[in-house]
Amino acid sequence: MADLIVLLGPPGAGKGTQAKVLSRELNLAHISSGDLFRDHLSRKTELGVLAQGYMQRGELVPDNVTISMIRERMANTDCAKGAILDGFPRTVPQAEALDLFLADSKMGAVRKAPYIKVEAQVLVERLGGRWSCRAGGHVYHEKFNPPKAAGVCDVDGSALYQREDDKAETVANRIRVYFEQTTPLIEYYRRKGVLAEIDGAMPIEDVTRELLASVR
Ligand code: ADP
Ligand code: ADP
């Protein structure tokens, strides 16, 4: 059986930041749907071209496309032990498809779904100051978590950039989409008895501590 953890929370809650630490501490693969889409986009694959418009508008990429991309990624041998899912599922049909896939592939079921709670006003400030690394998906914040050298990733030395969809107008739409389409997942996982609520407004290290306690 694989160990599967789903990180829930709005855009900017800290899912990517925390997923990196959890995957290292628990020795599980880190699967970020956003990073997978951005990788397809940079390679101009058919999937990347299809996803581009949705991502630029801050809308969700259609479920069927997203689900098949994740199924393919989870079939990889590095997921046999388990994975931290960051950014997927984001709709109830995606969560149902994940459950089916986990059962069919004998991987088991989602063990824990920590929900990193952060209020909307804070999210805008977080995304507005986010700097991301192209190579490994590491994330920084110009005020809250600055890199040692401006514009350079501490971990792999690659250049940092500001995401096109982190502009204020797109952020507002992403937060709206989150409340409409992703919040029902909180109830979905609560009903399954695997939800853990974490206060995401605390400093990064404190959130990490609570997250680790919730999944250990
Ligand atoms: P998500 O993957 O949920 O969109 P990220 O991990 O990319 O979120 O974090 C969004 C931004 O907020 C990044 O710039 C990150 O450095 C910063 N950040 C993450 N967690 C915290 C925190 N607990 N306090 C302050 N800033 C944070
Ligand atoms: P954030 O850091 O704000 O949580 P992501 O990097 O996870 O954002 O996602 C960026 C964009 O990629 C989303 O706005 C959406 O267009 C697309 N995307 C990522 N994950 C999914 C998903 N599970 N379902 C549909 N679209 C997704």
Side-chain angles (χ1 to χ4, degrees):
M1 292 273 263
D3 190 12
L4 292 142
I5 294 169
V6 166
L7 288 185
L8 297 171
K15 300 182 297 298
T17 302
Q18 300 296 342
K20 288 271 175 243
V21 186
L22 288 190
S23 97
R24 197 172 58 229
E25 291 286 323
L26 305 175
N27 193 24
L28 299 171
H30 170 201
I31 301 183
S32 157
S33 47
D35 285 352
L36 289 173
F37 279 128
R38 280 184 289 277
D39 179 56
H40 276 280
L41 207 69
S42 70
R43 291 187 287 121
K44 299 193 168 58
T45 66
E46 200 179 327
L47 176 60
V49 172
L50 191 153
Q52 186 166 28
Y54 296 99
M55 295 174 78
Q56 276 171 351
R57 293 188 296 272
E59 295 167 9
L60 295 184
V61 179
D63 282 339
N64 58 344
V65 181
T66 306
I67 291 163
S68 55
M69 176 181 77
I70 295 288
R71 285 174 68 112
E72 193 186 311
R73 174 67 187 84
M74 290 192 69
N76 213 305
T77 49
D78 70 330
C79 295
K81 276 199 310 263
I84 312 285
L85 296 179
D86 154 20
F88 179 91
R90 252 174 159 100
T91 64
V92 171
Q94 289 181 16
E96 289 168 346
L98 173 65
D99 286 348
L100 264 180
F101 171 73
L102 293 176
D104 284 351
S105 59
K106 308 272 188 294
M107 287 178 88
V110 172
R111 181 169 67 84
K112 207 83 198 179
Y115 162 38
I116 308 176
K117 278 166 89 164
V118 177
E119 58 176 275
Q121 208 184 324
V122 176
L123 301 174
V124 177
E125 195 185 5
R126 288 209 186 159
L127 296 175
R130 170 158 71 180
W131 287 80
S132 309
C133 116
R134 270 184 223 286
H138 302 101
V139 285
Y140 299 87
H141 191 282
E142 53 196 29
K143 262 210 321 240
F144 308 133
N145 182 28
K148 291 197 181 77
V152 183
C153 178
D154 293 353
V155 183
D156 56 35
S158 70
L160 302 180
Y161 73 104
Q162 288 193 288
R163 277 169 47 178
E164 196 55 34
D165 61 343
D166 280 346
K167 288 184 309 212
E169 315 86 81
T170 319
V171 163
N173 198 37
R174 287 162 62 203
I175 293 173
R176 193 162 46 239
V177 166
Y178 167 79
F179 282 108
E180 283 170 15
Q181 304 191 48
T182 308
T183 47
L185 287 184
I186 297 163
E187 271 318 303
Y188 182 90
Y189 287 110
R190 197 196 307 275
R191 274 201 303 274
K192 291 192 181 282
V194 296
L195 191 79
E197 295 189 51
I198 309 284
D199 175 10
M202 300 182 295
I204 294 175
E205 300 72 35
D206 296 348
V207 177
T208 303
R209 199 187 48 246
E210 299 233 334
L211 266 173
L212 281 170
S214 79
V215 299
R216 272 185 170 144

